[in-house]
């Protein structure tokens, strides 16, 4: 479940909220009922990764082709180390 970070525009109260993607965003500060602003932080990254895993499972022809090209370029460019090992392990 993604974590959303909120910042109150009125009192500056900052907190994290666990919500489903389909949930309505919070609008009122739990402390002063002031207007909340949703911050884009780690939560957005989690959503993006989730979508990526789904695409991996789907395994379309274009994806396989792209994956092949990526592996090729990775072996050619050693030491660049842009992709962490954990990402490679997730490609199941
Ligand atoms: Zn507040």
């Amino acid at each position: 479940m993604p974590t959303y970070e909120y910042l109150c525009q009125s009192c500056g109260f900052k907190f994290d909220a666990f919500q489903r993607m389909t949930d309505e965003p919070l609008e009122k500060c739990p402390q002063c009922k002031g207007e909340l602003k949703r911050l884009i932080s780690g939560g957005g990254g989690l959503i993006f990764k989730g979508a990526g895993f789904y695409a991996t499972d789907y395994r379309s022809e274009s994806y396989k082709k792209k994956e092949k090209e990526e592996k090729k370029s990775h072996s050619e460019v050693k030491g660049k180390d842009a992709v962490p090992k954990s990402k490679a392990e997730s490609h199941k």
Side-chain angles (χ1 to χ4, degrees):
M1 202 179 291
T3 305
Y4 295 103
E5 201 169 8
Y6 286 93
L7 176 69
C8 175
Q9 303 286 284
S10 298
C11 71
F13 180 54
K14 197 175 171 187
F15 66 100
D16 295 325
F18 296 95
Q19 292 185 286
R20 295 175 187 276
M21 285 171 66
T22 52
D23 282 353
E24 291 289 322
L26 301 177
E27 289 176 345
K28 286 183 179 176
C29 173
Q31 289 200 340
C32 73
K33 308 296 180 190
E35 190 182 339
L36 286 175
K37 183 185 180 185
R38 194 164 82 179
L39 305 174
I40 307 299
S41 58
L46 284 173
I47 295 169
F48 187 77
K49 275 183 189 171
F53 290 145
Y54 185 79
T56 304
D57 290 340
Y58 185 65
R59 291 190 186 282
S60 65
E61 285 301 315
S62 60
Y63 179 83
K64 281 184 194 170
K65 200 177 176 185
K66 194 183 169 192
E67 191 182 37
K68 229 177 192 177
E69 286 170 0
E70 279 180 355
K71 277 179 183 171
K72 198 180 169 188
S73 64
H74 284 165
S75 58
E76 284 172 359
V77 188
K78 273 187 179 178
K80 198 178 180 184
D81 208 24
V83 179
K85 280 181 180 175
S86 60
K87 191 185 177 188
E89 287 169 3
S90 70
H91 280 274
K92 283 176 185 174

